[in-house]
Amino acid sequence: MYKYWRSNLMFFTLVILMSTLLSSVIIDLLFGATIAVLLILQLAVVVVALRCNAKFAYFAAIFEAVSFNFLFTTPRYSLQMFHMDDIVNLLVFVIVALTASQLAEHYQRQKNELKQAQLRNSILLSVSHDLRTPLATIIGTLTTLKEYMEKLSENEKIELLDSATAESHRLHQYIENLLQATKLQHGALKFNKSDDSILNVVNQTIDRFPESRQRIKLIAATPLPTLQISSSLVEQAIFNVLDNALRYTPSDNMVNINAYQAGNEVILDIQDEGDGITIEQAAHIFDLFYSESTHQNNDSGTGLGLAVAKGILTAHNGNVEAIPVTHGCLIRIRLPITKGDQ
């Protein structure tokens, strides 16, 4: 993942540098404006510094300085300079470029620190509300059971215990998502991949919904290839999507899972029969701590589950997205079939 990220930054840097040089050559040929060329080259260094990091910016600054000497100073197409104006311009360019790189690196650090502070605040706000709600229910239920044990019928006792158990599972699921979200944000999520059938993972996920299992319908195009995945993490991602679908679907309606292969991908379409979401909501439902208040119920989530699902699937080079449909909400999960998959 790091190599892929780094290669993307290098490609971006090279594109900016080549585009800038081409523009500078055209301006030099048309107008012979050396100062304009220097400003354009300087702009490229700033763009690279803001988009990438200081190392890429230093490389860009040196590359642009050498290119200016080679292409735009006399004698042309050599690394020699005889005019004091060109020497001074180049020195000023290098000083400004290096200073801009340092400032851009400082800006990036400040930006990352602000994001971390915002994340911590969001986590604290979320924890203060969403840990308190199930805990209050569990405490209230168990207190009632303790105080009125002799007056309650067996059915009432079972109902209270079931309620406390359900809230305990809800609390455990929230803490698990919170832990995974924190790991994803800090790049600390580690997993070991192995060959496994996506249908096996889906069936294990469905088994985690004993009370709602009859509302889940799996349609699978067999045979499907095995995948190189971390089964437990992919199961967690599917669980979060499926849990969200069940939460927003009326209790007498179904949630359908369609599993099939398309090209070099295995796809899971999870569609509920709820009220659906708008295009604007579809663009944000995978954002951390996003929740739409107008579509929440008393058991609504905190915007953690889908964000964690997206992070896990992205770590597997897969994807998850909301697909526009006329009825309900369709979430599509894509997982790549690697060369080692069968």
Side-chain angles (χ1 to χ4, degrees), residues 311-329:
I312 291 173
L313 294 168
T314 300
H316 283 79
N317 296 321
N319 188 33
V320 59
E321 58 182 334
I323 305 297
V325 289
T326 57
H327 179 67
C329 177

Side-chain angles (χ1 to χ4, degrees), residues 55-259:
K55 292 182 180 179
F56 286 91
Y58 297 152
F59 167 78
I62 295 172
F63 180 84
E64 298 283 30
V66 173
S67 299
F68 176 75
N69 185 10
F70 187 79
L71 295 173
F72 303 106
T73 64
T74 55
R76 300 280 179 131
Y77 313 119
S78 74
L79 296 179
Q80 297 179 353
M81 283 191 296
F82 300 110
H83 296 291
M84 184 57 65
D85 288 347
D86 291 335
I87 296 174
V88 171
N89 287 336
L90 186 58
L91 288 175
V92 172
F93 170 82
V94 171
I95 293 172
V96 173
L98 295 178
T99 303
S101 301
Q102 289 290 332
L103 292 175
E105 187 176 30
H106 177 72
Y107 165 78
Q108 290 286 5
R109 285 199 301 267
Q110 294 294 321
K111 183 179 178 182
N112 290 334
E113 290 175 3
L114 179 60
K115 287 176 64 177
Q116 292 299 323
Q118 290 174 337
L119 175 62
R120 287 194 294 268
N121 290 336
S122 297
I123 290 175
L124 288 173
L125 289 173
S126 182
V127 167
S128 64
H129 174 268
D130 295 284
L131 290 184
R132 182 178 59 189
T133 302
L135 279 175
T137 303
I138 294 170
I139 293 171
T141 301
L142 295 180
T143 300
T144 300
L145 189 62
K146 179 181 179 180
E147 292 183 356
Y148 299 96
M149 178 73 74
E150 297 178 356
K151 299 180 181 179
L152 295 173
S153 65
E154 284 300 315
N155 287 336
E156 290 173 334
K157 292 176 183 178
I158 292 174
E159 287 181 4
L160 288 172
L161 288 173
D162 287 343
S163 176
T165 302
E167 289 300 311
S168 299
H169 286 306
R170 178 184 172 192
L171 182 61
H172 175 267
Q173 180 61 27
Y174 176 77
I175 294 174
E176 182 66 24
N177 279 328
L178 185 60
L179 177 63
Q180 299 291 2
T182 304
K183 288 182 177 180
L184 286 167
Q185 286 294 312
H186 290 84
L189 184 65
K190 298 180 180 179
F191 55 90
N192 296 318
K193 292 182 179 180
S194 60
D195 289 334
D196 203 348
S197 166
I198 191 63
L199 296 181
N200 181 46
V201 176
V202 171
N203 283 319
Q204 289 178 353
T205 307
I206 294 175
D207 289 339
R208 293 173 62 179
F209 297 94
E211 297 181 358
S212 304
R213 203 182 193 289
Q214 68 280 2
R215 297 173 53 203
I216 304 172
K217 182 179 180 182
L218 173 61
I219 304 171
T222 54
L224 288 175
T226 58
L227 302 176
Q228 275 280 326
I229 56 176
S230 171
S231 301
S232 60
L233 286 178
V234 172
E235 179 183 324
Q236 182 66 38
I238 298 173
F239 177 90
N240 289 350
V241 175
L242 194 54
D243 180 56
N244 191 75
L246 289 168
R247 186 172 292 156
Y248 288 100
T249 299
S251 58
D252 56 343
N253 288 359
M254 298 292 295
V255 172
N256 298 307
I257 305 176
N258 189 14

